[in-house]
Amino acid sequence: HVYETPRGSTQALSDISFRVETGRFVSIVGPSGCGKSSLLMMIAGLIRPTEGTISAGGQPLVAPDPKRIGVIFQDASLFPWLTARANVEFPLSLRHVDRKERQERADEALELVGLSGFADRHPHELSGGMKQRVALARGLVQDPPILLMDEPFAALDEQTRLSMGDEVLRIWERTRKTILFVTHGLSEAIHLSDEVLVLTSRPGRLVETVTVDLPRPRTFETMGGRRFEELRDRIWRRIKS
């Protein structure tokens, strides 16, 4: 992918090719500015690749398709004047889904993320972690088989971040959606993922797909184990090479 600007061209990504199997949890890591978010936005259909093709389920992706792919961004981006339920309902309202069905599906999504008792709260009444849970529920409410997550916990403190990671794993184990997760955190990537895609500095190139051969369910103690440290060191060396 090449960005064209008044100052010239900037190549963000080059020679990216990979396949994600259905139901897998895959993280994308690499140096700042290597094109991780650009790659995710291309998969979401929000950016057109300069060259190459992207497909899901054997069908090409050329535009946003919320029935196939849901996106959760770093910023929760909730409407402050809407309740948590109404924020989750919003993408369904754009599709003119019946009001009763919208409410039922929004409540189910909020229950899935552990916020069933906060449906009528407004964003200013929620903590940072709770806002991100609402954003997660909004991404889940249309029940897409693929979920893209672009550093969704970057703005959270470490304790909340760890808690949200475990929450995402719980939801993934229950729904078995295919998840692509962009993060700067190597430990986070290893803790969550089946595979980790490692990109080089700009232009981002895929240098290795690291299989995380740690047993599930993962625990906090897993992060202190020798194999976890070996995987983290291996990924770090590939990023720095």
Side-chain angles (χ1 to χ4, degrees):
H1 183 68
V2 177
Y3 286 104
E4 299 290 349
T5 70
R7 296 184 178 181
S9 300
T10 300
Q11 187 168 7
L13 296 162
S14 176
D15 301 324
I16 300 289
S17 180
F18 64 91
R19 177 185 177 90
V20 177
E21 297 295 333
T22 300
R24 303 289 276 178
F25 198 124
V26 176
S27 287
I28 303 171
V29 301
S32 295
C34 73
K36 299 185 295 297
S37 293
S38 294
L39 177 59
L40 211 68
M41 293 306 99
M42 285 192 285
I43 297 171
L46 297 170
I47 300 176
R48 294 292 298 273
T50 307
E51 296 180 9
T53 59
I54 301 170
S55 63
Q59 298 298 317
L61 281 167
V62 295
D65 187 351
K67 292 183 179 180
R68 285 195 289 170
I69 294 183
V71 186
I72 298 170
F73 300 97
Q74 180 174 337
D75 189 339
S77 299
L78 304 180
F79 296 114
W81 59 89
L82 296 181
T83 64
R85 180 189 290 112
N87 268 286
V88 175
E89 283 184 40
F90 183 74
L92 299 178
S93 67
L94 294 178
R95 293 172 48 195
H96 307 292
V97 175
D98 175 78
R99 181 178 180 182
K100 182 179 180 182
E101 182 182 349
R102 291 202 314 262
Q103 291 179 342
E104 290 175 351
R105 289 171 63 175
D107 286 343
E108 289 173 1
L110 286 168
E111 181 180 4
L112 185 61
V113 301
L115 286 179
S116 56
F118 296 85
D120 296 321
R121 302 288 182 88
H122 287 80
H124 73 273
E125 300 176 282
L126 304 174
S127 67
M130 294 168 78
K131 291 177 185 176
Q132 205 60 42
R133 287 174 188 247
V134 175
L136 179 56
R138 187 174 56 193
L140 292 166
V141 73
Q142 297 188 86
D143 198 25
I146 301 170
L147 197 60
L148 309 180
M149 307 183 75
D150 188 12
E151 299 193 68
F153 312 142
L156 304 178
D157 62 80
E158 184 177 7
Q159 182 178 344
T160 305
R161 186 169 182 152
L162 287 170
S163 176
M164 286 299 299
D166 288 339
E167 188 73 14
V168 167
L169 279 182
R170 180 186 65 80
I171 293 169
W172 173 73
E173 288 166 358
R174 180 171 167 180
T175 64
R176 286 298 171 178
K177 294 185 180 298
T178 304
I179 295 181
L180 272 74
F181 187 96
V182 166
T183 178
H184 277 97
L186 303 189
S187 294
E188 183 175 60
I190 296 166
H191 179 63
L192 297 175
S193 307
D194 296 309
E195 290 99 29
V196 179
L197 307 181
V198 185
L199 304 187
T200 63
S201 56
R202 190 174 66 232
R205 292 181 173 87
L206 179 59
V207 289
E208 187 173 0
T209 299
V210 177
T211 299
V212 181
D213 53 358
L214 296 170
R216 294 187 185 274
R218 310 265 169 85
T219 64
F220 183 75
E221 286 72 23
T222 304
M223 300 176 73
R226 180 177 179 180
R227 181 55 180 161
F228 193 98
E229 292 180 359
E230 290 174 348
L231 289 168
R232 184 173 54 203
D233 290 346
R234 175 179 171 182
I235 294 170
W236 176 246
R237 287 195 299 270
R238 293 300 280 161
I239 290 174
K240 298 297 288 184
S241 64

